[in-house]
Amino acid sequence: MNRSRKPVALAVLTLLAVAGCGSGPADTGKDTAAGDGKSPLAQYMGEMFSGGNGGVMMRATRVGGSGQPTEQELAKQRKVSELTAACMKKEGFEYVVTQPETEQKKSKFDEAFDLPPDKFASQYGYGISTIDFAAMATGDTDDPNQKLRSKLSPTAQKAYDKALDGDMAGGQGGVVISKPGSGPTNSNAQNSGCRGKAFEETYGKPGEQGPDLNKFDSLFKDLETLRKRIESDPRVTEAAQKWSDCMADAGHSGLRKVEDGRMKINQRMDALTGGGMPPSAKPGTAIKIPTLKDVDPAKAAALRKDEIAMAIQDLKCRQAGYDDAYKKVQYELEAEFVKDNKAQLEQYKESTSNENAPDDKGGK
C-alpha cells in the first residue's frame, strides 16, 4: 500500500484490475475453509495471492514490500535519490535529495483498505471514484521535488519529466503501460532517464531486480486454467446467477458476471475523466491516471453516490451465497492443484523468498 512520503523511484502505483486473483474490501474477510484464512495456494504464491471470489478491485502496492524497511533497503533508497539528483543537475534541473523515513506510517489509503468489507463499501464503494489514486502516484504534497516541478512552465515540466524518467515519462499523475516480457530487454533499448538509471545502478538491470520467473511460465498458465475451472464449475455458475438475480431485484439489472458491477462504475469513471487504457496502447505508452479533480462536481458526486450504492448491494448479494460457494470450490480445486504440482510450487516459493536476500548492490 501507499506509504507516507514514498521513496522516489521505489514507490510504484500498481492498479490491479484482478478478476479471480485479487483480494480486498470486496471479499467477505471470513474464511470457512481454513483456520489461517489462506487458501491452499496462498502459502506458495505469497501474501498478495488470493484465489479470489470473482471480485475485482484496485490496490496500491509498494515495491519492496509493506513491512518496515531494513538498513540495507534504506541505504539503497538514499543511493537512488543521490544518483538521481546528481544526474538531474547535469541535465540542468534542481532536484532535492530526499531521505527515506525509517518508520512506515499509515496513510488514509492504508486505513481505508484496512476497513471491514461492509464499512469499506459504505464509505468508498469499490474505491474507484472515491479514492484519488492519482494523488497516490504523485506522492505527498510536501515532496520538495513536486513543488520544484510545479513552479516550472508547462514546456519546462515536459523537459523535466523527460530528464527524470526518459521515454517512460508520464508526467504528474501519469503511469506507464508495461507488459511482462514485451518490453525492451536491455537498458540500451530506451532512455530510462535519471531515475531509471539510478534505480538500475542501485538494484541492477531489468531482469536482475528480482527472481527470474520466466521458468514458471507453465505454472502461471496452469494457474490461469485453474481459475477458469473454478469460475466454470456448476456450483459457481449457479451461485453467480443467483447473485445476478439478487442485483436485478435491487434495481441493478444487466449484470451477469460478479465483476460487472465494478466494471460498470469503472467505465463511467473513464468516460468522465478520459482515463483508462486505449485499445491500441503499447508497452511504454504513458497514460493518465483517472481523477475527478477536473470533472464537474455534480457529475462526480453522482458517480460516487451510485458507486457506493452499487458496491453495498453487490456485497450483500455476494454474501448471500456466492462467496461461500466460490470459496468452497476454490479450496477444493486448489488443494487438488497443490497435490499435483507441489514440487513446482515449492520451487516458486523458494525463488520468490530469496527476492529480498542481501546483495552487493548499494547495500553497504
Side-chain angles (χ1 to χ4, degrees):
M1 292 215 173
N2 179 54
R3 301 291 173 184
S4 177
R5 188 186 292 275
K6 299 187 298 293
V8 176
L10 293 182
V12 179
L13 182 69
T14 305
L15 300 184
L16 301 176
V18 186
C21 57
S23 63
D27 295 334
T28 64
K30 295 181 179 179
D31 185 353
T32 58
D36 61 359
K38 295 181 180 180
S39 73
L41 273 172
Q43 63 174 308
Y44 298 99
M45 303 307 295
E47 63 178 281
M48 290 303 292
F49 175 84
S50 170
N53 51 13
V56 184
M57 68 164 290
M58 281 188 174
R59 168 163 292 185
T61 60
R62 177 183 177 276
V63 172
S66 59
Q68 296 299 322
T70 63
E71 285 299 322
Q72 182 188 40
E73 178 61 27
L74 291 172
K76 287 184 176 183
Q77 292 176 21
R78 284 190 288 269
K79 182 178 179 181
V80 169
S81 186
E82 291 167 357
L83 291 172
T84 300
C87 177
M88 289 295 282
K89 184 177 181 179
K90 291 181 180 179
E91 294 293 331
F93 295 101
E94 182 180 0
Y95 190 92
V96 178
V97 176
T98 56
Q99 296 298 321
E101 292 185 355
T102 57
E103 180 183 356
Q104 297 289 359
K105 300 176 182 178
K106 275 199 171 186
S107 71
K108 60 181 179 180
F109 300 108
D110 292 293
E111 294 172 355
F113 283 106
D114 283 343
L115 289 172
D118 57 340
K119 292 187 180 299
F120 184 92
S122 64
Q123 293 184 45
Y124 299 101
Y126 296 107
I128 299 174
S129 65
T130 57
I131 297 178
D132 190 353
F133 284 93
M136 296 173 70
T138 57
D140 296 331
T141 56
D142 62 351
D143 181 351
N145 291 304
Q146 287 294 342
K147 291 181 178 180
L148 288 172
R149 181 188 180 280
S150 66
K151 295 178 181 179
L152 301 175
S153 67
T155 300
Q157 286 184 1
K158 289 183 179 180
Y160 177 98
D161 294 338
K162 183 73 173 179
L164 184 61
D165 292 319
D167 296 335
M168 303 295 278
Q172 190 172 20
V175 295
V176 175
I177 300 171
S178 62
K179 297 180 181 178
S182 61
T185 57
N186 62 75
S187 58
N188 295 324
Q190 66 178 10
N191 172 22
S192 59
C194 290
R195 184 152 55 185
K197 292 175 183 175
F199 192 92
E200 182 175 307
E201 181 174 338
T202 304
Y203 288 89
K205 296 180 179 180
E208 298 176 357
Q209 297 169 4
D212 179 11
L213 301 182
N214 290 328
K215 59 184 177 182
F216 297 108
D217 282 348
S218 62
L219 174 63
F220 298 146
K221 290 179 181 178
D222 290 342
L223 286 170
E224 175 62 13
T225 299
L226 172 63
R227 181 186 66 80
K228 292 179 179 179
R229 281 185 61 201
I230 295 172
E231 293 184 349
S232 62
D233 187 282
R235 292 167 289 179
V236 174
T237 57
E238 180 181 353
Q241 182 58 56
K242 292 181 179 179
W243 170 88
S244 177
D245 294 340
C246 175
M247 293 295 286
D249 290 342
H252 303 288
S253 60
L255 305 177
R256 294 290 175 259
K257 296 181 179 180
V258 176
E259 63 266 23
D260 283 353
R262 187 198 181 287
M263 289 296 100
K264 187 174 182 180
I265 296 298
N266 203 55
Q267 290 169 359
R268 287 180 58 186
M269 176 74 166
D270 288 343
L272 279 180
T273 63
M277 187 181 295
S280 59
K282 298 179 180 180
T285 301
I287 62 174
K288 180 182 179 182
I289 298 176
T291 176
L292 292 172
K293 181 179 179 181
D294 301 320
V295 173
D296 182 335
K299 293 181 179 180
L303 176 56
R304 292 190 184 102
K305 180 179 178 180
D306 291 346
E307 176 181 345
I308 289 174
M310 175 86 78
I312 290 175
Q313 188 59 44
D314 187 347
L315 182 62
K316 289 180 179 178
C317 291
R318 288 172 59 179
Q319 291 180 332
Y322 178 86
D323 284 347
D324 286 341
Y326 188 99
K327 183 166 287 187
K328 183 176 181 179
V329 174
Q330 172 198 346
Y331 278 51
E332 177 184 310
L333 296 186
E334 280 192 14
E336 293 178 4
F337 187 90
V338 169
K339 182 179 179 180
D340 295 338
N341 300 273
K342 191 167 185 178
Q344 193 172 20
L345 288 168
E346 290 283 6
Q347 292 174 8
Y348 175 86
K349 182 179 180 180
E350 182 179 358
S351 294
T352 55
S353 66
N354 292 330
E355 181 176 359
N356 294 318
D359 56 43
D360 58 358
K361 291 183 177 293
K364 304 295 184 183

